[in-house]
Amino acid sequence: MIGIGAAGFALAMGIALALTPLVKKFAVKVGAMDVPDHRKVHTQIMPRMGGLAIYAAFTVTILLFLPWLPDSMLSSYDKNLIMGMLVGGTVIVLLGAMDDRFQLNAKLKFLVQIAAACIVVFGYDIKINLVNIPFGSAMQPMADWIGIPLTIFWIVGVTNAINLIDGLDGLAAGVSGIAIATILVMAAIMGQGSVILLSAVLLGGIVGFLHYNFHPAKIFMGDSGSLFLGFALANLSMLGFKQITIVSFVVPILIIGVPLSDTFFAIIRRLVNKKPIFAPDKGHLHHRLQQLGFSHRKTVLIIYGIAAFFGACAVILSIATSAGMGNWVTFIVICVLIFLLQIGAEVIGIVDKTRRPVINFLRGMFLRQQANTRSK
């Protein structure tokens, strides 16, 4: 299966490399252009809709491979997952492409995202119905009245989380690529053939597009790309809730830790500053890093590193769980990550530039310790 995945990666990357320049010309022709404003980092008009190249690379490759895959390799659930990603993904890409060109109303976008999630849930029966709870029995069943709305919330939430971090050249594509690579590694460990193929193909499309999107970018992915990648990630990461007993309930959250934590801190920041939750601002992670003096490229690479750290934690946690150590490792990982996230948020000022309660507390403890040492 690894060989098929490698072939799918190479084909998707080649298609994305070939199609992206054509998509760029198409975007310019139809007027899908990103104009700089006070919130945006770039200073010149750029074509968007680059997500069409990633989507086309993924879809064409999967459709070419499907007829040649043995029936024994794909379960009915796998086939439903693939079709749900293709059909629902098509709806999401069309929504994103229209928004790239016409700047659609936020409420309309939200409703279409819910519709795409419903296609996956009701059309192909992909939903969260089992969850691994630390310090409990291996897998706990979840009733549909909880699982269905939770699944829709997860898909829509992750879809928008990726969209929110799309603020620098190569940022959303790279962070999504790292998350997909994490899923690929975990799928290889678990022997999940269908997920290996889907992840490898999607990763190939991202890498091919990144050739044109990394700083200095020649084209932006636009909402057509960020929404599609978020939608695909939501579906693939949801496997952490689906009949895989070696995966803890926190693993899907770790896989997309960067966009989810950035979204969480954005909500807290707006509540603290008494602003509407959905009001745009320049306080996101990439904005704050640049305000601290990091260059465009270094900011992106720092966030790549953070995403890779989250991904490594997810893989380690999965391996530990399979070895029977998942409960305590999960508890320790959660505690360490919460502490590091709080410290990091205070250092870069992602919530508030002046409030640093944990850092001030630790500094006070250190100073008291030094004073006690001197008095002795």
Side-chain angles (χ1 to χ4, degrees):
M1 192 60 223
I2 298 296
I4 296 177
F9 172 88
L11 179 57
M13 183 175 64
I15 293 174
L17 282 168
L19 283 183
T20 302
L22 300 178
V23 170
K24 179 182 177 181
K25 292 180 180 178
F26 175 73
V28 172
K29 186 174 182 178
V30 300
M33 308 298 289
D34 198 316
V35 180
D37 59 28
H38 67 283
R39 287 182 49 247
K40 297 177 180 178
V41 175
H42 64 285
T43 56
Q44 58 183 356
I45 298 176
M46 290 287 291
R48 44 192 178 191
M49 271 194 192
L52 294 179
I54 301 175
Y55 164 77
F58 175 78
T59 303
V60 170
T61 303
I62 291 297
L63 291 177
L64 287 175
F65 271 68
L66 276 180
W68 303 97
L69 297 178
D71 291 336
S72 59
M73 179 185 149
L74 298 177
S75 66
S76 59
Y77 174 79
D78 294 332
K79 294 175 182 177
N80 282 349
L81 172 64
I82 293 172
M83 292 308 299
M85 287 183 65
L86 291 176
V87 177
T90 299
V91 173
I92 285 291
V93 166
L94 290 174
L95 169 68
M98 293 296 290
D99 187 55
D100 287 339
R101 174 59 184 87
F102 298 108
Q103 295 291 294
L104 302 179
N105 179 273
K107 292 182 180 179
L108 174 61
K109 290 166 60 178
F110 184 67
L111 290 174
V112 176
Q113 290 168 18
I114 292 177
C118 288
I119 289 173
V120 173
V121 173
F122 298 108
Y124 296 96
D125 197 32
I126 304 297
K127 60 180 180 288
I128 301 168
N129 54 20
L130 294 172
V131 62
N132 186 320
I133 302 177
F135 305 102
S137 57
M139 298 296 285
Q140 301 287 340
M142 183 177 291
D144 282 350
W145 68 271
I146 300 176
I148 288 175
L150 181 60
T151 304
I152 294 172
F153 175 81
W154 176 260
I155 292 174
V156 174
V158 175
T159 298
N160 282 284
I162 298 298
N163 182 246
L164 285 175
I165 66 167
D166 187 21
L168 295 178
D169 297 355
L171 181 56
V175 169
S176 298
I178 291 169
I180 293 295
T182 301
I183 295 173
L184 178 59
V185 171
M186 292 172 58
I189 293 173
M190 299 174 200
Q192 294 285 323
S194 60
V195 184
I196 291 174
L197 177 61
L198 290 169
S199 301
V201 170
L202 187 56
L203 183 59
I206 292 171
V207 171
F209 174 74
L210 261 175
H211 176 71
Y212 303 97
N213 184 238
F214 196 73
H215 186 70
K218 300 177 179 65
I219 183 174
F220 293 160
M221 67 164 57
D223 277 14
S224 57
S226 59
L227 293 178
F228 173 68
L229 289 180
F231 181 82
L233 260 173
N235 282 275
L236 288 175
S237 63
M238 200 164 57
L239 291 173
F241 297 108
K242 180 69 180 180
Q243 297 177 347
I244 303 174
T245 58
I246 69 171
V247 181
S248 170
F249 81 110
V250 300
V251 168
I253 298 174
L254 288 177
I255 291 171
I256 49 177
V258 168
L260 286 186
S261 59
D262 192 38
T263 302
F264 171 77
F265 283 124
I267 293 173
I268 299 299
R269 179 175 62 252
R270 289 159 190 170
L271 289 175
V272 168
N273 294 306
K274 297 180 180 179
K275 294 183 178 179
I277 291 178
F278 297 103
D281 59 26
K282 296 193 72 171
H284 288 284
L285 176 59
H286 57 277
H287 291 132
R288 288 298 303 138
L289 287 173
Q290 285 198 301
Q291 290 164 18
L292 290 173
F294 292 103
S295 67
H296 192 127
R297 187 182 292 262
K298 285 183 179 179
T299 296
V300 172
L301 292 177
I302 288 171
I303 298 176
Y304 282 3
I306 298 172
F309 174 74
F310 274 110
C313 288
V315 173
I316 291 170
L317 186 56
S318 296
I319 295 173
T321 306
S322 66
M325 301 182 294
N327 289 336
W328 286 109
V329 173
T330 298
F331 177 75
I332 293 170
V333 166
I334 291 174
C335 291
V336 171
L337 284 177
I338 289 175
F339 176 76
L340 292 177
L341 281 172
Q342 180 62 31
I343 293 295
E346 292 182 14
V347 168
I348 67 174
I350 197 171
V351 173
D352 190 285
K353 298 178 183 179
T354 58
R355 298 178 187 176
R356 296 183 174 182
V358 175
I359 292 178
N360 290 336
F361 174 75
L362 294 175
R363 183 184 290 118
M365 288 185 61
F366 177 74
L367 292 175
R368 283 194 295 271
Q369 181 64 33
Q370 279 191 324
N372 291 334
T373 302
R374 289 170 184 164
S375 65
K376 294 178 182 179

